[in-house]
Amino acid sequence: MTLIHTAELHKIEPFHYLVSLLRHSGKVALDPAAWMPWNYSEALAHAEAESTEPPPD
């Protein structure tokens, strides 16, 4: 099975998935299992929430 086919099976748009992996490559390297197609939505939401929080004082 290809990565694209696996993403499609989990109702994820493959291009968006691959772009997300590249944008968050550091976090993917730290926890690759969290970024598998079947559960990456949670990791993506968490990563984007962290990037939008204001810096601490």
Side-chain angles (χ1 to χ4, degrees):
M1 225 181 266
T2 67
L3 185 133
I4 292 171
H5 184 64
T6 303
E8 289 172 342
L9 287 175
H10 293 283
K11 311 235 185 299
I12 296 169
E13 206 288 308
F15 181 76
H16 183 261
Y17 175 63
L18 293 171
V19 169
S20 298
L21 293 179
L22 291 173
R23 285 189 179 149
H24 301 285
S25 60
K27 293 182 187 294
V28 173
L30 292 174
D31 188 10
W35 292 86
M36 293 292 125
W38 47 89
N39 62 356
Y40 105 100
S41 297
E42 295 171 20
L44 179 63
H46 184 66
E48 289 182 349
E50 285 180 349
S51 67
T52 60
E53 291 178 1
D57 290 335

